[in-house]
Amino acid sequence: MKTVETENKGLKRAYEITIPAKEIEARVDAEVKKVAPNVRMPGFRPGKVPPNLIRKMHGEALQADALNNSVQDAVQKTIADNKLRPALQPEVALADGYEHGKDAVITVSLEALPDIKAPKVDGIKLERLTVEPDEKAVTERVEQIASSQKSWKDAAKTKKADKGDLVVMDFVGKVDGEAFDGGTGEGMEVELGSGRLIPGFEDQLEGVKTGDEKTLNVTFPDDYPAENLKSKPATFDVKVTAVKTETKTKIDDDFAKNMGLKDLDQLKDLVRDQAAQELNGLTRTHMKRKLLDQLAGAHDFDVPPSMVEAEYQNIMNQLRHEASHEDDAEAALKEIEADADDYKAIAERRVRLGLLLSEIGQANGVEITQQEMNRLMAQAAQQYQPEQQQQFFKYIQENPMAAAQLRAPLYEEKVVDFLFEKADIKDKKVTREQLEAAIEAEDDAEAEKAKAPAKKKAPAKKAAPAKKEAAKKAPAKKAAEKKPAAKKEPAKKAPAKKPAAKKAPAKKKAPAKAK
């Protein structure tokens, strides 16, 4: 095998490799001997089929396998001989004009990971901003939960329904005088002013009393989901069976029990624990940002352009997706594209920090256990259909690059934990507002550092998607709410075009097996 280096610039490497025809033929011969005992052919005893007939029957497949194996071995040998660590999968191409029986010439191009001097992990000093759960905030959160669970009581029969009241009714919907499918129901509850039903329906219920019967005249919207009802005028004959007014929910043990808890103290404990977890997440986010700042400031080295480009595309795709849901999507997209250079710089910083953390982890024995890897695969497999999950597991097991991508986020957190253990950390008590302000300032500072030297002033609060951990506030989860049984409702208002309630994404197909 003959190898010639054709490019050596920065982290880019390219080679031209010539694989002798005799080497490929030797592999074909070896494969013929390997399969011969299992080849069956009329007129020959098992295992006695002549090699030339085996070649005639399976020669094309054997030749392809031999060439493919020769190429793989040649690439791996070139990488090993030159002590390279490819950043991504090398690009391999067979030269045009290859014919069986001739030497095979292939070109290999790749980007190598940089050589990083052993990073120092001692002497790191960090400040840990801590926040004690605020009992006032716990009380407010419990009150929010209570306010979200409205209670109703029957009003006097003479009470005229007004906005904010609950009207209970039976109804029959008609188009052209004929009842239509889905337009009839009993015991329907609608809160006036909620805007849940088609335009005009709730407005015409204002002023009704228990026992009233009324015919409502409405027109279905042009974008109504049911094709047979779009833009059609309709009537609804309704009979009001009750008018109810909202009552303030009393926060006591019974309130907690209605949500499946033991008592009010248990509800408060759950809210308090959740607040503590959220605050701990914010504390870690801030401290991790400070750690990464120190690492980035102390190390500078070239990073593979292909890795930067991949990270940049991830950032831009995320931002474009978010912009597409803004009120003025076109303006939001233009703003993002105008700052594309800034995001490219942020991508480079991310890649550099990722490589640095990986180097620290390898140098200090940080590992992902098989049990942790199995858990990662099980979690990732949930996004696929059940019948495709086994295919996903096989794909990860057979593709080191895919396994590395799946492992990377957890590995980074384990390296960060290792560095926290090494660091000199001083605690400082702050308020939640101060902690959130510090994180916000870090967002802006990271964007500025990544863009330096900046060509223009950063847009106000343009906090790039800068490896935020749990920077967003996670609302405390509500305790399980008891909901009334679903009832058939009159025609609902067509969903707004703005995706208020997103459709669940279809589960992905398992990746095709790499060839």
Side-chain angles (χ1 to χ4, degrees):
M1 185 180 79
K2 179 183 177 183
T3 303
V4 178
E5 186 177 68
T6 58
E7 182 178 7
N8 187 332
K9 184 179 181 181
L11 298 175
K12 293 184 177 181
R13 301 288 186 275
Y15 303 89
E16 183 179 89
I17 304 173
T18 302
I19 304 173
K22 62 180 181 180
E23 181 179 320
I24 299 173
E25 287 302 309
R27 286 178 179 268
V28 174
D29 290 340
E31 194 62 26
V32 169
K33 291 180 180 179
K34 182 178 177 181
V35 302
N38 300 316
V39 175
R40 300 289 186 269
M41 183 178 289
F44 295 94
R45 287 181 296 164
K48 298 299 182 179
V49 179
N52 64 319
L53 291 181
I54 295 176
R55 277 178 170 270
K56 186 175 182 179
M57 290 175 59
H58 306 288
E60 188 172 342
L62 294 175
Q63 185 78 24
D65 286 344
L67 177 61
N68 185 52
N69 292 334
S70 296
V71 169
Q72 290 185 20
D73 288 349
V75 172
Q76 292 304 317
K77 185 176 187 304
T78 300
I79 290 172
D81 290 348
N82 290 276
K83 299 179 180 179
L84 298 173
R85 296 185 301 162
L88 298 175
Q89 194 73 25
E91 294 183 7
V92 182
L94 181 65
D96 294 337
Y98 171 73
E99 297 178 6
H100 294 330
K102 293 186 177 181
D103 294 348
V105 179
I106 61 172
T107 56
V108 181
S109 57
L110 58 88
E111 287 178 352
L113 292 174
D115 292 325
I116 305 173
K117 294 182 180 179
K120 294 181 180 180
V121 297
D122 296 318
I124 297 175
K125 294 184 178 181
L126 297 170
E127 186 176 62
R128 179 163 47 207
L129 304 184
T130 61
V131 182
E132 293 293 331
D134 185 353
E135 287 305 309
K136 181 181 177 183
V138 171
T139 300
E140 289 176 351
R141 179 61 189 137
V142 172
E143 291 175 348
Q144 288 175 4
I145 295 173
S147 65
S148 68
Q149 297 190 9
K150 293 184 177 181
S151 298
W152 304 93
K153 68 175 181 179
D154 288 333
K157 291 186 178 182
T158 56
K159 167 76 166 71
K160 292 184 178 181
D162 199 356
K163 278 188 172 62
D165 292 339
L166 191 75
V167 173
V168 185
M169 62 187 177
D170 301 335
F171 61 91
V172 176
K174 299 177 182 178
V175 171
D176 297 329
E178 298 290 334
F180 58 86
D181 290 342
T184 302
E186 296 180 352
M188 165 63 187
E189 296 179 346
V190 57
E191 183 180 349
L192 301 190
S194 65
R196 190 158 55 92
L197 303 183
I198 58 178
F201 196 105
E202 294 173 25
D203 294 341
Q204 295 178 64
L205 289 175
E206 291 182 25
V208 299
K209 305 185 299 296
T210 301
D212 283 356
E213 295 185 12
K214 186 173 183 178
T215 297
L216 312 182
N217 293 285
V218 295
T219 299
F220 284 96
D222 296 340
D223 59 351
Y224 194 72
E227 289 292 333
N228 63 319
L229 297 176
K230 281 184 178 180
S231 307
K232 292 283 185 70
T235 61
F236 281 89
D237 298 329
V238 302
K239 180 178 181 179
V240 179
T241 57
V243 174
K244 299 185 178 185
T245 56
E246 184 181 356
T247 61
K248 187 175 181 180
T249 302
K250 187 177 181 181
I251 301 176
D252 55 14
D253 288 344
D254 288 337
F255 165 66
K257 288 177 181 177
N258 285 336
M259 293 187 292
L261 302 175
K262 178 182 177 182
D263 52 29
L264 182 59
D265 286 340
Q266 186 181 18
L267 173 59
K268 288 184 176 180
D269 286 343
L270 289 173
V271 172
R272 191 177 295 109
D273 290 345
Q274 196 167 42
Q277 291 177 13
E278 183 182 345
L279 291 169
N280 289 338
L282 293 174
T283 293
R284 178 185 172 85
T285 294
H286 178 261
M287 195 161 67
K288 179 180 175 181
R289 303 267 182 87
K290 290 296 186 181
L291 171 66
L292 296 180
D293 281 348
Q294 290 191 39
L295 293 175
H299 301 86
D300 187 23
F301 48 84
D302 291 336
V303 293
S306 58
M307 294 183 71
V308 174
E309 179 62 23
E311 182 64 24
Y312 167 71
Q313 291 300 332
N314 286 338
I315 292 173
M316 296 300 286
N317 289 339
Q318 175 189 338
L319 289 172
R320 288 171 183 140
H321 175 74
E322 292 172 357
S324 68
H325 293 92
E326 295 288 337
D327 291 336
D328 190 344
E330 186 176 351
L333 286 169
K334 285 182 178 179
E335 185 177 357
I336 290 168
E337 299 301 334
D339 294 330
D341 289 344
D342 297 343
Y343 294 124
K344 178 65 73 73
I346 290 167
E348 182 176 332
R349 183 175 190 265
R350 283 193 187 184
V351 171
R352 183 174 289 107
L353 283 169
L355 293 174
L356 188 57
L357 289 172
S358 177
E359 195 72 23
I360 292 172
Q362 292 180 40
N364 292 278
V366 178
E367 295 180 346
I368 298 293
T369 65
Q370 188 58 50
Q371 184 178 7
E372 290 171 328
M373 190 62 190
N374 290 341
R375 186 164 60 249
L376 287 174
M377 288 194 295
Q379 291 172 347
Q382 295 303 311
Q383 64 184 313
Y384 299 106
Q385 299 290 349
E387 64 273 11
Q388 295 176 322
Q389 291 182 5
Q390 196 59 42
Q391 184 180 350
F392 170 76
F393 290 137
K394 186 176 182 181
Y395 172 76
I396 295 296
Q397 291 165 354
E398 294 179 352
N399 292 269
M401 297 286 286
Q405 289 177 345
L406 183 63
R407 186 188 300 115
L410 177 60
Y411 189 79
E412 177 179 305
E413 293 308 311
K414 294 189 76 169
V415 175
V416 168
D417 286 336
F418 166 77
L419 292 172
F420 283 165
E421 292 175 3
K422 288 281 187 179
D424 177 12
I425 300 176
K426 292 184 179 180
D427 290 329
K428 179 181 177 181
K429 289 186 178 181
V430 296
T431 65
R432 178 178 183 130
E433 291 71 22
Q434 290 172 324
L435 176 55
E436 290 177 343
I439 292 174
E440 185 71 24
E442 271 300 303
D443 281 346
D444 295 337
E446 181 178 1
E448 288 299 323
K449 289 170 186 173
K451 293 185 290 184
K455 294 181 180 179
K456 57 183 177 180
K457 186 177 180 181
K461 196 178 179 183
K462 188 66 184 179
K467 276 218 170 189
K468 297 182 184 178
E469 252 187 314
K472 295 182 181 178
K473 289 187 186 178
K477 292 182 180 177
K478 295 182 182 180
E481 300 178 12
K482 287 192 174 182
K483 297 183 179 179
K487 297 178 181 176
K488 206 168 189 180
E489 303 181 7
K492 290 187 180 180
K493 182 167 62 176
K497 291 183 180 179
K498 189 176 178 182
K502 297 180 183 177
K503 183 179 179 182
K507 292 203 170 190
K508 299 180 180 178
K509 292 184 178 180
K513 183 177 177 182
K515 294 183 179 179

